[in-house]
Amino acid sequence: MSIHFDEKSRVFHLQTPGSSYCIQIVRDGYLGHLYWGRRIASYRDSVPFDFIDRGFSPNPDPADRKFSLDNLPQEYPGYGNGDFGIPAYQVAQSTGSEICDFRYQTHRIFAGKPKLPGLPATYIEGEQEADTLELVLEDALTGLRATLIYTVFNKYDAMARSVRFDHTGSDNLTLLRAFSASIDFRDDEYDMLTFYGAHTNERNIARRPLMPGIQSAESRRGASSPQQNPFLALLRPGADEDNGEVYALSLVYSGNFIAQAEVQQYGTTRVSIGINPFGFSWKLTPGESFQTPETIMVYSAQGLGGMSRIFNSLYRTRLSRGKFRDAERPILINNWEATYFDFNADKIEAIAREGKELGMELFVLDDGWFGKRDNDLSSLGDWTVDHRKLPEGLDNLARRITGMGMQFGLWFEPEMVSPDSELYRRHPDWCLHVADRPRTVGRNQLVLDLSRQDVCDYIVGALSDILSSAPITYVKWDMNRHLTEIGSALLPPERQRETGHRYILGLYSVLDQLTSAFPDVLFESCSSGGGRYDPGMLYYMPQTWASDNTDAISRLKIQYGNSMVYPTVSMGAHVSGVPNHQVNRITPLDTRGHVAMSGNFGYELDLTTMSPEEKLTVKSQVALYKDIRPLIQFGEFYRISSPFEGNDAAWSFVSDDKSEAILAFFRVLSQPGEGVPILKCKGLNPDYLYRHHETGKVYGGDELMFAGLTLPRINGDFISLFWRFSKTGAQ
């Protein structure tokens, strides 16, 4: 058992293979946070709570001026009875009061991990994989209970946290804030790392020292968004890719979130993460419950690289599900940048046939196959085949392509509706809207109200009909705008602020039904690329289109940033044409291939217009990727050189048994008067000998990691190098 409770000290000690997390029941049932960090054998009270009489820190016991919630490092803090920091929860009562005082009541420790109803979460395949602690707190006046749920994984240096609220009282209550996790650190000597960006510029890395006050990353867009990502890490100063302590939190949720750190008056730090309280509330009538999303917490003493490999492995094997979790993903050709909306069946078949001859395995028909969709002005919601473009129907086209020996995939944008559509004309109330207010459009579309069961039923039915009508084995699920006028025609006034979260719950329900009904279909998440690249979506769809920006040089940063949390196999990456359609850059085909091969590989261009020489290059790229695909998609990923910090980028993939490795290097711009660069490998076994595939030369693993490789002299911009190594023996 990895969770222990000491009755005498009233300390809970949770242990992963490399970390410890300690909680203590203090005085009259308050929960104090003692420690989170490198694993210790047992907690023997070396860092007890130090209570000091401080001015302006109120005391629940008038006879004891030293004890104050304002100074106690807490496990799940509230507001209004002495703690002035960011509260983890906030509850409104019918009296108008928002005071709630949770105290410890009981606890339960058991093997296994409970499921979270209606929400995505990490899972286990046997009770022996994890242990769970449930700490039950109660507010005596209202009868509201909060069960803090902690699951410790026995194989991974990770913990899962969430909270369930159960209303056992007699009066209606309203949750105004319900975070998934809160942690009080004893000091403020940290840097904070988050991600930021925009459409086509996702997953930039922001690292800055903590300052007094609140600093946060959040989304108010209705989705996790390309602007921010539901993730926050605290790093000790000096912590880098390979060394130093990292404390990271990742929220398994796809809607509005907040992740924040507050440096308080006496140099302590409170970190919290969960559903964004902006625009949120949830009414709880007697007998009702509310479950928060799950937060995954990772501690690493091996820097950001160690953190990433924990997240990558956990999310690949215990968040992603279904037959495709452990299956090699097909190399695809997508027609979007080749044709956009302007295509017919013969053109599509011609691109697919070229793809087949070059070794590709899946053709994906993107936007424009339904309704009267000649541009983005109409037809979303009308999921019927456009017989002007496909006169013999979708099934005929799919069978023409599968008859070549290729798989067939299809693009959808199910959460949206065009004002110019039959669906909107029949059901104008089915979109998110607020009475008497204009309806804001984005990309000429509105957002369907997935808080409504009838809307969810329509989406499930319409997509099921299409997926059953043809041999479709892949779906690209897009979402090309964020939520405005977040209101629902079916919810009463007091529940309107529930709409945003109910939308996400409706989405999860739709995805659960469709992925269960079509287990042989590979679903890929997309939101104009990486606008909803989050753990919640990975639970239903094991891969995500990382960005609509297909430029190889832009992708160096996008894919590097994504790798901090998300596994390579989840990261869609395509070779596109030049000049690039997003930034107009011209890059060598080799470089485009090497960048895309560093993810889930595919192409997005018109293969029929390529020269014979280009086709030979593509054919060799496809053959190479098929050979190294298991290593790229399921190996360990090591970042070596950051494109955010210089003119180069480098990374490697290493098999679990250390017998195979891929090393990739990218030079952005040629520089005059350069020295002789050396690149040091990571993740190899120092006792192995490795053969370089291209030259046949043999090197020691220790030599490759500690001495490194001298890079060849390379001239020109946007150049890449790719090495393969295989174990050939022991030193």
Side-chain angles (χ1 to χ4, degrees):
M1 183 68 68
S2 55
I3 301 175
H4 313 278
F5 179 59
D6 186 307
E7 293 276 359
K8 183 177 180 181
S9 65
R10 305 176 85 190
V11 170
F12 298 92
H13 187 177
L14 293 69
Q15 295 174 306
T16 73
S19 67
S20 285
Y21 190 97
C22 299
I23 308 163
Q24 187 172 39
I25 304 170
V26 182
R27 293 181 63 129
D28 303 318
Y30 298 109
L31 283 185
H33 175 74
L34 279 170
Y35 173 74
W36 181 29
R38 193 186 294 263
R39 180 178 171 126
I40 55 179
S42 61
Y43 177 76
R44 302 181 187 275
D45 206 27
S46 64
V47 285
F49 299 125
D50 188 12
F51 300 116
I52 302 172
D53 182 359
R54 295 191 184 275
F56 293 95
S57 292
N59 315 110
D61 180 0
D64 184 357
R65 291 185 52 168
K66 291 186 176 181
F67 182 79
S68 174
L69 297 180
D70 194 33
N71 303 321
L72 174 68
Q74 293 185 71
E75 195 62 24
Y76 202 66
Y79 179 82
N81 49 8
D83 188 324
F84 298 101
I86 296 173
Y89 65 91
Q90 196 172 358
V91 184
Q93 302 160 43
S94 61
T95 62
S97 170
E98 295 180 9
I99 306 301
C100 189
D101 187 12
F102 281 134
R103 306 289 185 95
Y104 167 82
Q105 294 297 309
T106 186
H107 71 271
R108 184 167 72 108
I109 300 172
F110 57 93
K113 183 181 190 294
K115 294 183 178 180
L116 303 187
L119 287 166
T122 53
Y123 60 89
I124 56 175
E125 294 186 337
E127 286 190 350
Q128 75 283 355
E129 289 189 6
D131 297 312
T132 296
L133 165 66
E134 292 185 344
L135 282 168
V136 181
L137 315 180
E138 184 172 350
D139 177 56
L141 184 62
T142 62
L144 182 64
R145 290 180 180 171
T147 300
L148 311 186
I149 307 169
Y150 303 76
T151 294
V152 178
F153 295 95
N154 295 322
K155 178 182 176 183
Y156 305 95
D157 276 323
M159 290 173 33
R161 280 187 67 175
S162 68
V163 181
R164 185 182 69 250
F165 293 89
D166 298 298
H167 187 9
T168 67
S170 58
D171 194 9
N172 289 339
L173 301 173
T174 302
L175 285 175
L176 303 177
R177 178 189 304 255
F179 287 163
S180 299
S182 180
I183 306 165
D184 281 358
F185 292 86
R186 305 283 190 100
D187 68 327
D188 62 353
E189 295 297 315
Y190 303 95
D191 293 344
M192 186 170 84
L193 188 145
T194 57
F195 304 123
Y196 71 94
H199 174 223
T200 70
N201 185 27
E202 298 90 345
R203 228 66 70 230
N204 293 282
I205 299 171
R207 178 175 177 172
R208 62 278 199 194
L210 286 182
M211 301 294 290
I214 299 171
Q215 37 254 280
S216 67
E218 62 180 310
S219 174
R220 298 178 296 277
R221 294 170 170 267
S224 52
S225 86
Q227 286 74 22
Q228 303 285 338
N229 198 257
F231 170 86
L232 179 150
L234 294 188
L235 291 72
R236 286 296 185 186
D240 57 21
E241 185 64 29
D242 304 305
N243 303 285
E245 291 188 305
V246 179
Y247 305 81
L249 296 89
S250 173
L251 187 67
V252 185
Y253 189 62
S254 307
N256 289 340
F257 74 90
I258 189 165
Q260 57 193 337
E262 180 184 23
V263 175
Q264 300 176 311
Q265 58 182 337
Y266 299 118
T268 58
T269 304
R270 175 168 294 172
V271 172
S272 49
I273 190 168
I275 296 173
N276 198 330
F278 181 89
F280 166 84
S281 68
W282 195 272
K283 184 177 179 180
L284 279 178
T285 60
E288 288 187 329
S289 299
F290 181 84
Q291 174 67 53
T292 72
E294 178 174 270
T295 291
I296 300 301
M297 297 169 43
V298 166
Y299 167 80
S300 167
Q302 289 78 45
L304 289 167
M307 175 206 75
S308 295
R309 285 183 287 280
I310 296 168
F311 275 122
N312 290 179
S313 181
L314 179 68
Y315 282 175
R316 182 178 65 80
T317 63
R318 290 298 180 268
L319 180 65
S320 294
R321 304 173 301 155
K323 66 175 287 186
F324 296 101
R325 183 191 75 179
D326 302 320
E328 294 178 17
R329 309 294 167 76
I331 300 170
L332 65 83
I333 172 66
N334 181 298
N335 72 294
W336 178 242
E337 289 194 17
T339 66
Y340 293 104
F341 296 102
D342 185 16
F343 61 82
N344 56 36
D346 291 340
K347 178 63 176 179
I348 294 301
E349 183 181 8
I351 295 174
R353 191 170 299 282
E354 287 286 356
K356 173 61 179 176
E357 291 178 0
L358 297 175
M360 299 172 199
E361 300 156 320
L362 165 66
F363 177 85
V364 179
L365 177 60
D366 212 282
D367 196 355
W369 58 268
F370 56 93
K372 298 177 181 178
R373 186 79 165 169
D374 297 326
N375 49 48
D376 64 8
L377 297 176
S378 73
S379 302
L380 286 173
D382 298 342
W383 300 111
T384 55
V385 178
D386 183 353
H387 286 276
R388 298 172 305 150
K389 296 179 182 179
L390 307 178
E392 297 180 80
L394 190 64
D395 180 59
N396 176 269
L397 175 63
R399 295 190 183 281
R400 287 161 68 177
I401 291 173
T402 57
M404 306 174 191
M406 292 190 81
Q407 301 176 57
F408 180 75
L410 200 59
W411 178 96
F412 289 93
E413 193 171 2
E415 300 164 64
M416 304 296 156
V417 62
S418 302
D420 182 10
S421 67
E422 294 304 316
L423 180 65
Y424 187 74
R425 284 185 276 274
R426 291 197 309 268
H427 299 287
D429 61 325
W430 273 18
C431 69
L432 293 172
H433 68 280
V434 175
D436 303 321
R437 297 287 183 185
R439 302 183 181 190
T440 305
V441 295
R443 201 177 182 240
N444 301 298
Q445 59 199 50
L446 298 166
V447 184
L448 289 171
D449 181 3
L450 270 66
S451 74
R452 298 176 55 140
Q453 187 62 50
D454 51 358
V455 172
C456 292
D457 290 343
Y458 170 78
I459 294 173
V460 171
L463 266 65
S464 295
D465 288 346
I466 292 292
L467 294 177
S468 300
S469 71
I472 299 166
T473 56
Y474 171 98
V475 165
K476 180 180 178 182
W477 182 295
D478 215 340
M479 184 219 191
N480 283 313
R481 63 155 294 182
H482 289 147
L483 279 53
T484 56
E485 290 82 49
I486 303 177
S488 175
L490 293 189
L491 291 175
E494 68 273 15
R495 289 193 179 271
Q496 284 297 319
R497 287 167 61 94
E498 300 176 11
T499 305
H501 183 57
R502 288 185 180 274
Y503 177 97
I504 297 298
L505 295 179
L507 170 64
Y508 289 155
S509 175
V510 166
L511 295 178
D512 190 58
Q513 292 178 69
L514 286 170
T515 55
S516 298
F518 298 94
D520 296 326
V521 173
L522 172 58
F523 285 81
E524 178 176 275
S525 173
C526 176
S527 179
S528 288
R532 202 164 57 185
Y533 199 160
D534 60 63
M537 295 304 290
L538 283 182
Y539 180 78
Y540 302 99
M541 304 187 185
Q543 60 191 58
T544 300
W545 177 227
S547 179
D548 277 350
N549 188 345
T550 56
D551 170 62
I553 303 307
S554 299
R555 275 299 191 106
L556 293 175
K557 290 183 176 180
I558 292 169
Q559 293 174 204
Y560 189 98
N562 275 320
S563 74
M564 287 280 177
V565 179
Y566 304 107
T568 300
V569 72
S570 73
M571 197 183 310
H574 295 174
V575 175
S576 62
V578 292
N580 174 262
H581 292 197
Q582 289 79 47
V583 300
N584 208 40
R585 190 171 5 238
I586 297 175
T587 52
L589 184 53
D590 280 346
T591 300
R592 283 177 274 155
H594 290 155
V595 173
M597 273 190 267
S598 298
N600 200 335
F601 190 46
Y603 289 82
E604 190 161 325
L605 41 70
D606 190 348
L607 298 173
T608 66
T609 63
M610 299 185 84
S611 68
E613 294 77 15
E614 289 174 322
K615 290 180 182 179
L616 283 175
T617 299
V618 169
K619 191 169 187 177
S620 67
Q621 288 176 347
V622 170
L624 172 61
Y625 191 77
K626 287 180 179 179
D627 198 21
I628 63 176
R629 176 163 44 189
L631 175 56
I632 297 291
Q633 296 187 351
F634 304 114
E636 288 190 324
F637 183 73
Y638 291 84
R639 293 180 295 270
I640 298 173
S641 180
S642 170
F644 292 99
E645 298 175 2
N647 191 43
D648 301 334
W651 48 63
S652 64
F653 303 86
V654 182
S655 61
D656 288 343
D657 64 2
K658 309 297 185 182
S659 65
E660 300 285 336
I662 296 289
L663 178 62
F665 172 82
F666 306 91
R667 167 66 48 79
V668 178
L669 295 177
S670 181
Q671 301 292 329
E674 285 192 308
V676 179
I678 294 175
L679 190 63
K680 295 181 180 180
C681 300
K682 292 183 180 180
L684 304 178
N685 188 321
D687 298 324
Y688 287 176
L689 291 171
Y690 291 91
R691 181 179 61 85
H692 181 215
H693 279 229
E694 285 68 29
T695 65
K697 290 184 177 180
V698 175
Y699 307 94
D702 53 355
E703 182 183 11
L704 290 171
M705 290 192 292
F706 308 142
L709 281 169
T710 299
L711 297 180
R713 304 297 291 176
I714 50 177
N715 293 313
D717 298 335
F718 319 131
I719 301 300
S720 64
L721 300 170
F722 222 58
W723 294 269
R724 294 181 65 191
F725 295 98
S726 296
K727 176 188 174 184
T728 188
Q731 299 203 69

